[in-house]
Amino acid sequence: GNSVTQMEGPVTLSEEAFLTINCTYTATGYPSLFWYVQYPGEGLQLLLKATKADDKGSNKGFEATYRKETTSFHLEKGSVQVSDSAVYFCALSDAGANSKLTFGKGITLSVRP
Amino acid sequence: DTAVSQTPKYLVTQMGNDKSIKCEQNLGHDTMYWYKQDSKKFLKIMFSYNNKELIINETVPNRFSPKSPDKAHLNLHINSLELGDSAVYFCASTIGATNEKLFFGSGTQLSVL
């Protein structure tokens, strides 16, 4: 079945540091890939997505590139802010109707001033 | 206006009790979900409804019974609550049934004592 593996957390960075959060996946076919973010006390929000190989999703300074050869979708940001402190989830959706999102474990990012 | 709203936000109850969590979305979406998030932030799908019909039912104990009176509402009833049911429960919705972008509620934190 489908699965998503995220690097172990938590991650603590200083403001303006470079961020990489690793995500790899296992799926049959050609899934769509997503990063969701959960700010404290809130539900998840879609951060970015990519629907086919070599697509790059980007939003709010975050980027991730769909790499089919390495089955990866790593999240990066060049300069993190305190307001980026949240839990980040990588997810995939298999193709077709009645598909479902499979989430990774989530990783907590804390950014210090 | 809140797009996906859940009530209550917090629920504290004794083992063996029966409780319900309500969810409503005002986005006109066709598909609604219940997810369970454990203490380690792992997020797992429980149920999915499309236009009031059950389309995904993961291996969830039959003490959990979803009910969708119309496509804007998906409620979750839990019988005979157990300690292991303590978690945060998230409702979500999306257009169609293809998972391109889920909108999440802010969660219901259930504590079973």
Side-chain angles (χ1 to χ4, degrees):
Chain A
N2 297 338
S3 67
V4 175
T5 303
Q6 291 184 231
M7 58 186 274
E8 291 291 325
V11 172
T12 302
L13 295 173
S14 297
E15 207 164 22
E16 299 183 4
F18 184 84
L19 169 72
T20 300
I21 301 178
N22 289 343
C23 171
T24 57
Y25 67 90
T26 302
T28 53
Y30 303 96
S32 294
L33 301 174
F34 307 83
W35 277 99
Y36 276 80
V37 59
Q38 183 182 22
Y39 298 104
E42 298 182 13
L44 281 73
Q45 306 171 24
L46 180 65
L47 180 59
L48 52 85
K49 69 177 185 182
T51 56
K52 61 183 189 299
D54 300 325
D55 267 3
K56 179 186 281 188
S58 61
N59 185 25
K60 299 182 181 180
F62 291 90
E63 292 183 340
T65 301
Y66 190 143
R67 301 278 187 212
K68 190 168 185 300
E69 63 276 14
T70 54
T71 60
S72 64
F73 193 54
H74 305 322
L75 183 69
E76 296 183 336
K77 186 174 185 181
S79 175
V80 293
Q81 306 300 311
V82 172
S83 57
D84 293 327
S85 298
V87 183
Y88 291 81
F89 294 86
C90 186
L92 71 82
S93 175
D94 47 23
N98 300 332
S99 59
K100 64 179 182 181
L101 267 182
T102 299
F103 285 90
K105 278 178 62 174
I107 184 170
T108 300
L109 170 66
S110 299
V111 181
R112 297 185 300 240
Chain B
D1 283 341
T2 305
V4 181
S5 58
Q6 298 179 223
T7 53
K9 190 168 177 64
Y10 300 98
L11 186 52
V12 181
T13 188
Q14 300 286 332
M15 264 174 42
N17 284 350
D18 303 338
K19 291 293 178 187
S20 292
I21 308 171
K22 296 188 175 182
C23 179
E24 175 181 3
Q25 54 92 4
N26 63 6
L27 298 166
H29 288 169
D30 302 308
T31 305
M32 296 184 72
Y33 306 83
W34 278 109
Y35 280 85
K36 179 180 180 180
Q37 186 178 47
D38 64 23
S39 59
K40 296 183 178 172
K41 302 291 186 185
F42 186 61
L43 200 66
K44 188 167 167 50
I45 191 169
M46 300 173 70
F47 301 103
S48 169
Y49 270 72
N50 179 262
N51 280 317
K52 303 192 297 175
E53 286 191 30
L54 179 68
I55 57 172
I56 293 175
N57 183 352
E58 293 293 291
T59 47
V60 176
N62 58 15
R63 297 182 295 104
F64 290 79
S65 50
K67 294 256 186 326
S68 183
D70 55 61
K71 73 174 195 176
H73 295 83
L74 180 62
N75 303 323
L76 184 64
H77 188 76
I78 315 170
N79 288 328
S80 303
L81 277 155
E82 300 178 357
L83 293 176
D85 297 332
S86 297
V88 182
Y89 292 84
F90 286 99
C91 178
S93 71
T94 191
I95 295 174
T98 58
N99 286 303
E100 281 301 304
K101 181 175 181 179
L102 263 61
F103 290 76
F104 281 80
S106 57
T108 295
Q109 184 160 338
L110 171 64
S111 299
V112 182
L113 308 177

